[in-house]
Amino acid sequence: MRFGVLGPVTAWTDAGTPVVVQGLKVRALLADLLVHEGRPVPADRLIDDLWGSELPGNPAGTLSAKVSQLRRAFEDAEPGSRALVRSGPAGYSIAVDSSNYDALRFDELLGAGAVDKALALWRGPAYADFADDAFAETAVARLTDLRLTALERAELPVVDLAALVKEHPLREGLRAAHMRALYRAGRQSEALESYEQLRELLLEELGLDPSPELVALQQSILAQELPHARSNLPAAVTELIGRSDALADIGSALGTSRLVTLTGPGGVGKTRLALASAAAAADRFADGVVLVEFAAITPDALSVADALTDAVQTALDLRDTDDSPVADRLAAVMGSRLLVLDNCEQIVEEVAALTDRLLAAAPGLRVLATSREPLGLAGEVVWSVPPLSVPPLSGGVEEVAECSAAQLFVNRAAAASRGFALTEETVADVAVLCRRLDGIPLALELAATRVRALGVRGLVARLDDRFRLLATGHRGAAPRQQTLHAMIDWSWELLSDEEQTVLRRLAVHADGCTAEAAAAVCGADDVLDVLVRLVDRSLVVPMEGRFRLLESVAAYCVDKLRAADELESTRQRHMAYYVSLAEEARPGLFGGEQSRWLQLLDEDSANFRTALDRAVATGQVELAERLVDALAWYWFLRGRYAEALRSLEAVPGSARAGAWRAGYLYLLGHPGAPAERDRWVDEADAMGQWWIANAASDVGELSTCLSLLEQALKGFEAEGNQWGVAAVLAARAKHAHVRADLSALYDDASRSIAIFRALGDRWGVLQATGWFGAHAELVGEFGEAERLHLEGVEAAEELGLWPEVASGLGMLGWTAIRQGQYESARRYGERALRLATEQGQRSIQALAELVLGFAARRTGALDEAAERLQALIDTARQQKEAVLYLSIVLVELGFVRELQGRSEEALKLHAESFRVSEEFESLRGMCWSLEGIAGCHPDKRLAATLLGSCAATRATENYLMAATEAEDLDRAVTAARSALSPADYEDAYTRGTALSLGEAFSLIRD
């Protein structure tokens, strides 16, 4: 008999039949006994609980009658179960434990960390039909609280957590889970809003602040200290059987060793066990668990080492946007994380080298690898995955059922053939089959799919014939590998010709494919029905609209392709299809379908890499050129600059690739970028001209870039390419911002936004909105600037464009600086710096450091400000090209030195800043520089003249003087007025109003 209170109070027989308990008081008696979980309940207590003040005439006798009715109901349902209701000197009780009572089982599972299994026991509110009775109140409250605790620990979707937060708005654990889920879905802004909602509710209703733990979580989200995705482990489709001891051992090994490698032959279940072990250990790693799949990387890749780091970066959702060693940057962002490196055997030496480097540089990193051989590194724990335990040939049902191989086979066979079970009739054949297949999980699963057609006895008979037939064919392989090969071989021969053709041709894909891709590569119109049949036979694995082969099956099918003389022709169709797919996707990346196409290209990135490797290796230059040209913009949107450059360099003679390559060299800060630009710019079309100009703008080649933009604009207009027109306008807006040309900035940014919005291109809207927000900031519309930048951050988060998120955070920080909101500026700056560093965005790192340096100076932390600003200046001076941010950083450090009493250093910094601003034709920057000089120059008459010139220029150009700038200006004005008589000050000031900024600066040089 089993009992349940996690929902309506219910009893079932062991066979699962509901027990009918007649009468409300009898059911209440059952509920009351269950509340006490097997402990005796005095008769007086039961009487009070059931009748309260409305006592029956003979309370003790009536209670005894109700107990008898309950016993009779149990006995009628299941003979012998009346004894479950016991009576004794201390009262009545019911015999329950965790095996037959869901409340106790829930406690047990929750204590063991099996949160999902625990939650699966719930059928509704606890004691649903007696929840309002006084005797159940405490139990209901306890169980409900435990359920909420479990929900806080479960990996629930955002929508489910949002509903729970709405139902329990003041529960901090649920709020924390909601914030984490939002953050890990890329919705940082909403995560912070959720925190603010709770903070306001606590203050209004309880007069309390959020707990320190929740405040710490909010700070972690602000500082980007949580991973974007806690885990990318795939959900388990089937139950892991027979590996509980293995899970415990591997979990223990991960607790003491930083590298654990699961080894064993194909089909033994290394990957499945690794994924289950990683999921079980996930709570130990604050920065999450990440699966990196290496099966698609082969020794004939253009660069195995680069392909490995590309795979790790993609799994971590990182960008490779600078030319620093990728492994070093990967190590820098690992934190406390578990990497699962799957299928390492093809490239074990390269995997070992990368793993060794990461472990040495990232102390919080743990690695769980799967490979047919160890990585061979110091400190590696090698855990050989054994086959499942096989039963004795003469064992009975109970003995065979205890063996994990039999459990797996029966489980899968029952799924394939409804009604199949381990019985006296089937036990002998199941035992023979499990032993014959050596307990290899993949072999057992393949065999199970044939039970429906052959029955287990027929299956055993045919397997014996098969192994005798193949016994001489695989003598060079280990016995268990012979078994697996024979099992796959037998499954193969049971397929139709059509199924064999599709299965072997699927083997050329890397990391799976869609049904459409399978049809194209297999040379058929539609193969979906065939794929479904192959899935039913466990030869193909479905995964959310895609299909892939298991490693062992794929290796077998490649041999079959060679035997059929189809390997090269199938690879050729694979290349042709993925080149066509990339070309089909490219227009979609420039409009309203951008998000959908990005996701589709993400899913097939391994296939594109394989197609390019093969095209280059076989000398098919045209295919390679078409592929890299089609993917170049995708690589940019995904921040894969280094991968793009490597791929473009594989087709060195292509003019189209040359223009892309020049732009990527600029983005990566490569010194050879100008030479590559000069080599290809004359042959570039409008897209190439815009691309080079846009990429080169950050390194200060403004006049050359502006000329290229004007040429590109004419070309785009002639082509009728509205996207190109909008892209040029956004790039011109950036130049206008550097010059502080407010009217040009407004006109170009607003026109660009309108076109991009009409096209539905969210990346373009992001760019134009950023510059429109910059205009709002320049004219003092700080609220509008903040709104626009926040809008941009949220849109970038939804698209997964993390460099744009970092840029938007940096601009929010700068807007906060202009408003004097220095703590907010520091928070935005820290978030932007962490994300920009993670994504390798040097220009955005500089913006974030600038914000932090300004915030430090304005809050009196002069030493910190000087350190941050000087580091920016040192980096900029090392660049051969001019750096856009240099002038403003020089001015700010000049103010720091002035406040530190180091006026001579301040003068030099302001003077250098003026010369840089003059080169960029930035009148606004020149004003800042001269006002800085005025504040620390010993000649106060000259200072007054400089101030007059700046005031006249600001008035003419309509430059805003923000309150934070006014503080520095007021200091300079006060010093000059204090040193001069009013008449002398006015005379010098008036003289300055007639001078241009250049003329005023020449007075200093004179």
PDB file of all heavy atoms in Angstrom, residues 19 34 233 245 291 361 371 377 508 516 566 617 680-681 684 875 895:
ATOM      1  N   VAL A  19      -7.347   3.313  -3.733  1.00  0.00           N
ATOM      2  CA  VAL A  19      -8.124   2.730  -2.635  1.00  0.00           C
ATOM      3  C   VAL A  19      -9.299   3.649  -2.334  1.00  0.00           C
ATOM      4  O   VAL A  19      -9.104   4.856  -2.097  1.00  0.00           O
ATOM      5  CB  VAL A  19      -7.246   2.550  -1.380  1.00  0.00           C
ATOM      6  CG1 VAL A  19      -8.083   2.011  -0.233  1.00  0.00           C
ATOM      7  CG2 VAL A  19      -6.081   1.621  -1.679  1.00  0.00           C
ATOM      8  N   LEU A  34      -1.501  10.331   8.684  1.00  0.00           N
ATOM      9  CA  LEU A  34      -0.388  10.595   7.776  1.00  0.00           C
ATOM     10  C   LEU A  34       0.380  11.855   8.175  1.00  0.00           C
ATOM     11  O   LEU A  34       1.595  11.944   7.981  1.00  0.00           O
ATOM     12  CB  LEU A  34      -0.894  10.711   6.333  1.00  0.00           C
ATOM     13  CG  LEU A  34      -1.384   9.408   5.700  1.00  0.00           C
ATOM     14  CD1 LEU A  34      -2.034   9.673   4.354  1.00  0.00           C
ATOM     15  CD2 LEU A  34      -0.226   8.422   5.548  1.00  0.00           C
ATOM     16  N   LEU A 233      24.635  21.906 -20.952  1.00  0.00           N
ATOM     17  CA  LEU A 233      24.483  20.456 -21.021  1.00  0.00           C
ATOM     18  C   LEU A 233      23.123  20.119 -21.618  1.00  0.00           C
ATOM     19  O   LEU A 233      22.104  20.691 -21.228  1.00  0.00           O
ATOM     20  CB  LEU A 233      24.580  19.835 -19.620  1.00  0.00           C
ATOM     21  CG  LEU A 233      25.906  20.010 -18.872  1.00  0.00           C
ATOM     22  CD1 LEU A 233      25.810  19.334 -17.513  1.00  0.00           C
ATOM     23  CD2 LEU A 233      27.066  19.449 -19.663  1.00  0.00           C
ATOM     24  N   ASP A 245      26.875   3.935  -8.909  1.00  0.00           N
ATOM     25  CA  ASP A 245      28.190   3.863  -8.264  1.00  0.00           C
ATOM     26  C   ASP A 245      29.226   4.660  -9.049  1.00  0.00           C
ATOM     27  O   ASP A 245      30.089   5.329  -8.461  1.00  0.00           O
ATOM     28  CB  ASP A 245      28.643   2.403  -8.139  1.00  0.00           C
ATOM     29  CG  ASP A 245      27.820   1.622  -7.125  1.00  0.00           C
ATOM     30  OD1 ASP A 245      27.128   2.265  -6.304  1.00  0.00           O
ATOM     31  OD2 ASP A 245      27.854   0.377  -7.171  1.00  0.00           O
ATOM     32  N   LEU A 291      29.787  22.147 -21.836  1.00  0.00           N
ATOM     33  CA  LEU A 291      30.159  21.019 -22.688  1.00  0.00           C
ATOM     34  C   LEU A 291      30.805  21.543 -23.961  1.00  0.00           C
ATOM     35  O   LEU A 291      30.264  22.429 -24.631  1.00  0.00           O
ATOM     36  CB  LEU A 291      28.912  20.201 -23.045  1.00  0.00           C
ATOM     37  CG  LEU A 291      29.071  19.154 -24.149  1.00  0.00           C
ATOM     38  CD1 LEU A 291      30.024  18.046 -23.716  1.00  0.00           C
ATOM     39  CD2 LEU A 291      27.714  18.589 -24.553  1.00  0.00           C
ATOM     40  N   ALA A 361      46.755  27.974 -15.943  1.00  0.00           N
ATOM     41  CA  ALA A 361      46.482  29.416 -15.820  1.00  0.00           C
ATOM     42  C   ALA A 361      45.186  29.730 -15.090  1.00  0.00           C
ATOM     43  O   ALA A 361      44.975  30.877 -14.697  1.00  0.00           O
ATOM     44  CB  ALA A 361      46.443  30.048 -17.218  1.00  0.00           C
ATOM     45  N   SER A 371      37.605  10.114 -23.691  1.00  0.00           N
ATOM     46  CA  SER A 371      38.549   9.764 -24.742  1.00  0.00           C
ATOM     47  C   SER A 371      38.790   8.263 -24.705  1.00  0.00           C
ATOM     48  O   SER A 371      38.650   7.628 -23.654  1.00  0.00           O
ATOM     49  CB  SER A 371      39.877  10.510 -24.541  1.00  0.00           C
ATOM     50  OG  SER A 371      40.829  10.138 -25.512  1.00  0.00           O
ATOM     51  N   LEU A 377      48.406  13.792 -18.911  1.00  0.00           N
ATOM     52  CA  LEU A 377      48.893  14.974 -18.191  1.00  0.00           C
ATOM     53  C   LEU A 377      49.139  14.642 -16.722  1.00  0.00           C
ATOM     54  O   LEU A 377      48.511  13.733 -16.158  1.00  0.00           O
ATOM     55  CB  LEU A 377      47.879  16.118 -18.293  1.00  0.00           C
ATOM     56  CG  LEU A 377      47.592  16.635 -19.700  1.00  0.00           C
ATOM     57  CD1 LEU A 377      46.518  17.713 -19.649  1.00  0.00           C
ATOM     58  CD2 LEU A 377      48.853  17.189 -20.348  1.00  0.00           C
ATOM     59  N   VAL A 508      29.208  12.269 -43.271  1.00  0.00           N
ATOM     60  CA  VAL A 508      30.110  13.377 -43.634  1.00  0.00           C
ATOM     61  C   VAL A 508      29.777  14.648 -42.874  1.00  0.00           C
ATOM     62  O   VAL A 508      30.536  15.616 -42.923  1.00  0.00           O
ATOM     63  CB  VAL A 508      30.074  13.661 -45.153  1.00  0.00           C
ATOM     64  CG1 VAL A 508      30.516  12.446 -45.933  1.00  0.00           C
ATOM     65  CG2 VAL A 508      28.682  14.123 -45.594  1.00  0.00           C
ATOM     66  N   GLU A 516      16.666  18.921 -43.992  1.00  0.00           N
ATOM     67  CA  GLU A 516      16.901  19.490 -45.325  1.00  0.00           C
ATOM     68  C   GLU A 516      18.338  19.242 -45.774  1.00  0.00           C
ATOM     69  O   GLU A 516      18.587  18.888 -46.935  1.00  0.00           O
ATOM     70  CB  GLU A 516      16.604  20.990 -45.306  1.00  0.00           C
ATOM     71  CG  GLU A 516      15.149  21.369 -45.086  1.00  0.00           C
ATOM     72  CD  GLU A 516      14.722  21.269 -43.629  1.00  0.00           C
ATOM     73  OE1 GLU A 516      15.603  21.108 -42.754  1.00  0.00           O
ATOM     74  OE2 GLU A 516      13.515  21.341 -43.362  1.00  0.00           O
ATOM     75  N   GLU A 566      31.755   6.217 -52.459  1.00  0.00           N
ATOM     76  CA  GLU A 566      30.896   7.404 -52.409  1.00  0.00           C
ATOM     77  C   GLU A 566      31.455   8.499 -51.509  1.00  0.00           C
ATOM     78  O   GLU A 566      30.844   9.555 -51.389  1.00  0.00           O
ATOM     79  CB  GLU A 566      29.499   7.029 -51.873  1.00  0.00           C
ATOM     80  CG  GLU A 566      28.675   6.166 -52.788  1.00  0.00           C
ATOM     81  CD  GLU A 566      27.311   5.850 -52.189  1.00  0.00           C
ATOM     82  OE1 GLU A 566      27.088   6.187 -50.998  1.00  0.00           O
ATOM     83  OE2 GLU A 566      26.486   5.277 -52.894  1.00  0.00           O
ATOM     84  N   ALA A 617      41.603  22.050 -48.805  1.00  0.00           N
ATOM     85  CA  ALA A 617      42.470  20.880 -48.923  1.00  0.00           C
ATOM     86  C   ALA A 617      42.428  20.273 -50.317  1.00  0.00           C
ATOM     87  O   ALA A 617      43.431  19.729 -50.804  1.00  0.00           O
ATOM     88  CB  ALA A 617      42.073  19.833 -47.887  1.00  0.00           C
ATOM     89  N   TRP A 680      43.916  46.327 -51.488  1.00  0.00           N
ATOM     90  CA  TRP A 680      42.627  45.899 -52.012  1.00  0.00           C
ATOM     91  C   TRP A 680      41.599  47.013 -52.174  1.00  0.00           C
ATOM     92  O   TRP A 680      40.557  46.792 -52.808  1.00  0.00           O
ATOM     93  CB  TRP A 680      42.029  44.830 -51.099  1.00  0.00           C
ATOM     94  CG  TRP A 680      42.862  43.600 -50.969  1.00  0.00           C
ATOM     95  CD1 TRP A 680      43.599  43.197 -49.887  1.00  0.00           C
ATOM     96  CD2 TRP A 680      43.087  42.610 -51.977  1.00  0.00           C
ATOM     97  NE1 TRP A 680      44.254  42.025 -50.143  1.00  0.00           N
ATOM     98  CE2 TRP A 680      43.954  41.630 -51.428  1.00  0.00           C
ATOM     99  CE3 TRP A 680      42.639  42.440 -53.288  1.00  0.00           C
ATOM    100  CZ2 TRP A 680      44.369  40.513 -52.146  1.00  0.00           C
ATOM    101  CZ3 TRP A 680      43.050  41.337 -54.004  1.00  0.00           C
ATOM    102  CH2 TRP A 680      43.914  40.382 -53.439  1.00  0.00           C
ATOM    103  N   VAL A 681      41.839  48.180 -51.645  1.00  0.00           N
ATOM    104  CA  VAL A 681      40.775  49.182 -51.589  1.00  0.00           C
ATOM    105  C   VAL A 681      40.320  49.641 -52.972  1.00  0.00           C
ATOM    106  O   VAL A 681      39.135  49.929 -53.186  1.00  0.00           O
ATOM    107  CB  VAL A 681      41.213  50.389 -50.725  1.00  0.00           C
ATOM    108  CG1 VAL A 681      42.289  51.205 -51.424  1.00  0.00           C
ATOM    109  CG2 VAL A 681      40.001  51.246 -50.359  1.00  0.00           C
ATOM    110  N   ALA A 684      37.744  47.280 -54.246  1.00  0.00           N
ATOM    111  CA  ALA A 684      36.598  47.024 -53.371  1.00  0.00           C
ATOM    112  C   ALA A 684      35.332  47.669 -53.918  1.00  0.00           C
ATOM    113  O   ALA A 684      35.368  48.779 -54.474  1.00  0.00           O
ATOM    114  CB  ALA A 684      36.896  47.544 -51.968  1.00  0.00           C
ATOM    115  N   THR A 875      48.890  53.011 -23.209  1.00  0.00           N
ATOM    116  CA  THR A 875      48.456  52.103 -24.282  1.00  0.00           C
ATOM    117  C   THR A 875      48.267  52.856 -25.586  1.00  0.00           C
ATOM    118  O   THR A 875      48.687  52.398 -26.660  1.00  0.00           O
ATOM    119  CB  THR A 875      47.143  51.412 -23.882  1.00  0.00           C
ATOM    120  OG1 THR A 875      47.349  50.670 -22.685  1.00  0.00           O
ATOM    121  CG2 THR A 875      46.666  50.476 -24.979  1.00  0.00           C
ATOM    122  N   PHE A 895      43.582  67.303 -15.054  1.00  0.00           N
ATOM    123  CA  PHE A 895      42.827  67.793 -13.898  1.00  0.00           C
ATOM    124  C   PHE A 895      43.256  67.071 -12.620  1.00  0.00           C
ATOM    125  O   PHE A 895      43.331  67.672 -11.544  1.00  0.00           O
ATOM    126  CB  PHE A 895      41.323  67.609 -14.131  1.00  0.00           C
ATOM    127  CG  PHE A 895      40.729  68.589 -15.109  1.00  0.00           C
ATOM    128  CD1 PHE A 895      39.872  68.166 -16.114  1.00  0.00           C
ATOM    129  CD2 PHE A 895      41.023  69.940 -15.020  1.00  0.00           C
ATOM    130  CE1 PHE A 895      39.318  69.064 -17.000  1.00  0.00           C
ATOM    131  CE2 PHE A 895      40.472  70.850 -15.911  1.00  0.00           C
ATOM    132  CZ  PHE A 895      39.621  70.414 -16.918  1.00  0.00           C
TER     133      PHE A 895
END
